[in-house]
């Protein structure tokens, strides 16, 4: 008898879009934590390499790519057979999240994804302005859809590890800091109250600070992109402009920094790809490190959620960005790709749990600038723990798939929330569902700053009056 809890029963049809590394890992967790009718479960993907897992379970598989011209025709009969509302679990690339949510609104179906995806071509279209190729632009489209179609059946946008889980970590980390620094306040109930608490706690900014040390048994082949999760997804976001939520403590834009002339104003972008931009950051195991400032939705949504306003005036906002050190093979792959003027290798490979010798994915949030300097809170999930917890995935994957499960539980418990981001969900409930899959979850203070040990061999243009200025964080 399983010791794992069944969190919900779902009687309607379920369609999983995409069956790559994350879809393959999500499937056994859905089977473990939900009761559903397998005859009404369909997987749609253009790649059938893992079809055996579906055939073993007698799950219907459609080997087709969803496109702008065909997605409604394909999905409508699958999701409207009844009884009960349908659900889309979108774990794909190159399928428009905004069009999918709009469609789900039309047919009254639940929806969840891990990222705001466009139709193919947006990220690499040189005819589009840089701002239009950003995650900021994609999120603004999502916010426009939410304003146009408020309320109704729940659609959860961007609920994986990051974006997703890290938004829940930020709230817990902030409560820890407030408690440890003597900032007394009731637990916030809305965005304004959270922003006010972060402001009172003296937090200047947030790094989504990650170090992936999972090590392959075999060396990376030449001219092959190797990663621990979607290569297509990583390359796509790596070729987008670097983006970061822009805090009110910052004194000056970077020389290649630009503000958007529309939307919330919560973020800026750099005139360079994220895969070519490095920043200084810190995690407990890795200590100080250089990570890539790859654009992510949470960099914008967290900064926006914690913005304190008085009318139209912004009183406070934290800087927020990703600081990602992927596995060593992925670093080599990016180096190789950069040398080819950002032309992706023809061959690529995602490391499975069987390919990995050892290592962990240390993923958390570093809240900095307060009276105790900086505080990292997050998951230290090893490949060994992952193998014991769930099949068909590595540590990076399980941090994502378990967040998807938490998001689905919250969605079914809150069926009429409309379009929501992870920042707006009940972080305690979501982490309650997810935490058994995260390995050690730790919080650790550090006296490290971006200026630590910077009195080196060569002069640098730094701001010694405030270690946490972005000009000290970015690697020039």
């Amino acid at each position: 008898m399983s010791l794992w809890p069944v969190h919900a029963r779902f009687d309607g049809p379920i369609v999983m879009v995409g069956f790559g590394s994350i879809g393959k890992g999500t499937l056994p967790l859905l089977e473990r934590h939900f009761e559903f009718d397998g005859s009404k479960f369909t997987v749609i993907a253009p790649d059938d390499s893992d079809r055996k897992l579906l055939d073993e379970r007698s799950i219907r598989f459609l080997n087709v790519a969803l496109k702008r011209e065909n997605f409604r025709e394909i999905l409508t009969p699958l999701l409207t057979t009844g009884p009960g509302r349908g659900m889309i679990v979108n774990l794909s690339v190159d399928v428009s999240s905004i069009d999918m949510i709009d469609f789900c609104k039309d047919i009254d179906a639940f929806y969840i994804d891990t990222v705001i995806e466009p139709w193919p071509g947006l990220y690499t279209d040189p005819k589009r302005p840089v701002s239009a190729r950003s995650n900021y632009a994609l999120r603004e489209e999502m916010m426009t859809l939410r304003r146009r179609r408020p309320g109704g059946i729940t659609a959860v946008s961007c609920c994986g590890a990051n974006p997703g889980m890290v938004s829940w970590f930020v709230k817990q980390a902030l409560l820890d800091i407030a408690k440890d620094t003597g900032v007394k306040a009731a637990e916030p109930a809305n965005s304004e109250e959270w922003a006010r608490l972060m402001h009172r706690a003296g937090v200047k900014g947030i790094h989504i600070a990650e170090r992936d040390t999972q090590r392959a048994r075999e060396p990376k082949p030449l001219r092959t992109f190797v990663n621990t999760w979607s290569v297509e997804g990583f390359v796509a976001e790596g070729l987008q402009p670097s983006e970061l939520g822009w805090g009110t403590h910052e004194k000056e834009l970077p020389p290649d920094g630009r503000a958007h002339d529309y939307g919330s104003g919560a973020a800026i972008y750099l005139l360079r790809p994220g895969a070519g931009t490095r920043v200084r950051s810190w995690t407990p195991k890795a200590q100080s490190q250089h990570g890539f400032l790859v654009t992510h939705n949470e960099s914008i949504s967290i900064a926006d959620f914690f913005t304190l306003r008085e009318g139209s005036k912004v009183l406070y906002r934290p800087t927020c960005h990703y600081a990602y050190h992927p596995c060593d093979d992925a670093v080599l792959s990016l180096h190789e790709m950069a040398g080819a003027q950002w032309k992706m290798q023809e061959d690529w490979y995602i490391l499975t749990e069987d390919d990995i010798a050892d290592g962990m994915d240390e993923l958390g949030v570093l809240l900095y600038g307060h009276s105790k300097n900086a505080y990292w809170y997050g998951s230290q999930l090893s490949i060994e723990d992952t193998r014991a917890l769930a099949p068909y995935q590595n540590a990076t994957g399980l941090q994502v798939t378990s967040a998807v499960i938490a998001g689905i539980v919250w969605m079914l418990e809150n069926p009429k929330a409309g379009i929501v981001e992870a920042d707006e969900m009940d972080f305690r409930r979501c982490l309650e569902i997810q935490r058994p899959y995260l390995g050690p979850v730790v919080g650790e203070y550090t006296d490290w700053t971006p200026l630590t040990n910077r009195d080196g061999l060569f002069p640098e243009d730094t701001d010694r009056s405030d270690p946490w200025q972005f000009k000290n964080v970015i690697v020039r």
Side-chain angles (χ1 to χ4, degrees):
M1 187 172 177
S2 174
L3 298 177
W4 295 99
V6 174
H7 293 302
R9 177 179 179 84
F10 190 78
D11 293 320
I14 301 173
V15 175
M16 179 183 289
V17 182
F19 201 62
S21 60
I22 300 305
K24 187 172 65 171
T26 299
L27 178 61
L29 300 189
L30 283 171
E31 294 174 319
R32 181 181 288 176
H33 293 294
F34 297 89
E35 293 180 351
F36 59 89
D37 184 349
S39 68
K40 294 196 288 186
F41 194 112
T42 305
V43 173
I44 302 174
D47 179 6
D48 66 351
S49 57
D50 289 307
R51 179 171 183 166
K52 180 183 177 182
L53 295 177
L54 303 172
D55 292 341
E56 291 172 350
R57 295 163 166 78
S58 299
I59 290 176
R60 185 188 325 175
F61 176 67
L62 298 184
N63 187 199
V64 63
L66 293 184
K67 300 179 181 179
R68 193 192 308 266
E69 307 82 43
N70 69 9
F71 79 96
R72 285 181 176 267
E73 179 183 357
I74 292 171
L75 292 173
T76 298
L78 297 175
L79 290 161
T80 56
T81 55
R85 293 163 154 172
M87 180 198 303
I88 289 180
V89 182
N90 184 6
L91 307 174
S92 67
V93 295
D94 290 339
V95 175
S96 169
S97 304
I98 292 164
D99 282 356
M100 295 284 275
I101 292 178
D102 202 21
F103 165 69
C104 283
K105 289 277 191 180
D106 290 341
I107 64 168
D108 200 36
F110 292 103
Y111 175 89
I112 189 170
D113 64 28
T114 61
V115 64
I116 303 177
E117 277 284 322
W119 294 115
L122 180 138
Y123 299 140
T124 55
D125 183 356
K127 296 179 182 179
R128 289 178 177 264
V130 177
S131 174
R133 290 185 267 125
S134 66
N135 275 339
Y136 180 94
L138 288 169
R139 181 173 180 266
E140 286 299 322
E141 285 188 51
M142 184 67 72
M143 295 297 103
T144 297
L145 176 61
R146 182 159 83 166
R147 288 188 292 269
R148 180 167 64 84
R149 305 195 70 169
I153 193 166
T154 302
V156 178
S157 173
C158 296
C159 189
N162 57 315
M165 171 189 75
V166 293
S167 291
W168 309 331
F169 282 172
V170 168
K171 289 182 176 178
Q172 184 58 63
L174 177 56
L175 293 177
D176 290 351
I177 292 167
K179 178 182 176 182
D180 295 342
T181 57
V183 177
K184 299 187 182 301
E187 184 161 308
N190 54 48
S191 174
E192 181 182 353
E193 292 178 6
W194 279 108
R196 196 172 298 280
L197 177 59
M198 185 171 280
H199 183 36
R200 288 182 58 207
V203 174
K204 292 181 177 179
I206 303 156
H207 289 178
I208 313 304
E210 180 175 6
R211 179 64 175 263
D212 185 347
T213 62
Q214 291 172 103
R215 188 169 59 94
R217 300 181 191 278
E218 301 294 330
K220 185 191 93 64
L222 187 65
R223 290 186 288 276
T224 300
F225 199 118
V226 177
N227 196 20
T228 52
W229 57 284
S230 172
V231 171
E232 295 166 297
F234 187 27
V235 169
E237 68 186 26
L239 293 180
Q240 286 181 272
S242 284
E243 295 184 78
L244 60 158
W246 194 242
T248 47
H249 81 286
E250 303 287 1
K251 298 176 183 178
E252 59 184 24
L253 279 175
D256 57 352
R258 299 293 185 272
H260 301 275
D261 60 3
Y262 59 94
S264 69
I268 64 167
Y269 63 97
L270 308 183
L271 297 176
R272 60 165 88 179
T277 307
R278 292 180 302 160
V279 288
R280 298 173 176 86
S281 192
W282 186 93
T283 68
K285 294 289 187 182
Q287 300 287 292
S288 60
Q289 64 175 16
H290 285 180
F292 292 100
L293 201 169
V294 175
T295 180
H296 259 210
N297 180 273
E298 76 271 13
S299 301
I300 306 155
S301 72
I302 291 173
D304 198 13
F305 184 84
F306 287 95
T307 295
L308 185 61
R309 293 180 171 87
E310 187 178 86
S312 61
K313 182 180 179 182
V314 173
L315 302 178
Y316 166 79
R317 176 185 292 131
T319 292
C320 184
H321 61 81
Y322 201 7
Y324 178 36
H325 190 305
C327 72
D328 289 350
D329 280 350
V331 174
L332 286 173
S333 300
L334 284 178
H335 185 67
E336 194 174 65
M337 187 174 137
Q341 297 304 310
W342 302 115
K343 184 181 185 330
M344 181 180 164
Q345 296 89 329
E346 291 186 7
D347 296 326
W348 54 268
Y349 187 73
I350 299 173
L351 297 173
T352 70
E353 67 274 23
D354 297 325
D355 298 318
I356 295 171
D358 53 29
M360 69 166 55
D361 202 321
E362 185 179 35
L363 171 57
V365 295
L366 183 74
L367 278 65
Y368 60 79
H370 47 83
S371 63
K372 291 180 73 67
N373 187 51
Y375 179 67
W376 189 93
Y377 183 89
S379 163
Q380 297 173 330
L381 180 61
S382 71
I383 186 62
E384 294 81 10
D385 285 346
T386 300
R387 292 189 184 110
L389 288 167
Y392 314 142
Q393 54 207 306
N394 57 38
T396 307
L398 187 54
Q399 288 169 333
V400 177
T401 60
S402 56
V404 173
I405 296 303
I408 293 173
V409 172
W410 185 91
M411 177 170 65
L412 297 180
E413 293 174 348
N414 299 269
K416 296 181 179 179
I419 300 172
V420 298
E421 296 181 295
D423 313 274
E424 300 162 316
M425 300 163 72
D426 181 347
F427 80 100
R428 291 193 184 280
R429 176 57 173 154
C430 291
L431 288 179
E432 177 187 17
I433 300 299
Q434 189 185 13
R435 189 155 182 164
Y437 291 107
L438 296 180
V441 175
V442 303
E444 186 171 325
Y445 288 98
T446 177
D447 60 3
W448 176 87
T449 79
L451 293 179
T452 299
N453 296 326
R454 290 281 288 279
D455 297 318
L457 298 174
F458 302 97
E460 293 187 82
D461 180 16
T462 57
D463 185 339
R464 294 284 168 172
S465 68
D466 181 2
W468 295 106
Q469 287 295 304
F470 182 69
K471 74 178 296 182
N472 297 331
V473 174
I474 191 167
V475 178
R476 294 292 183 185

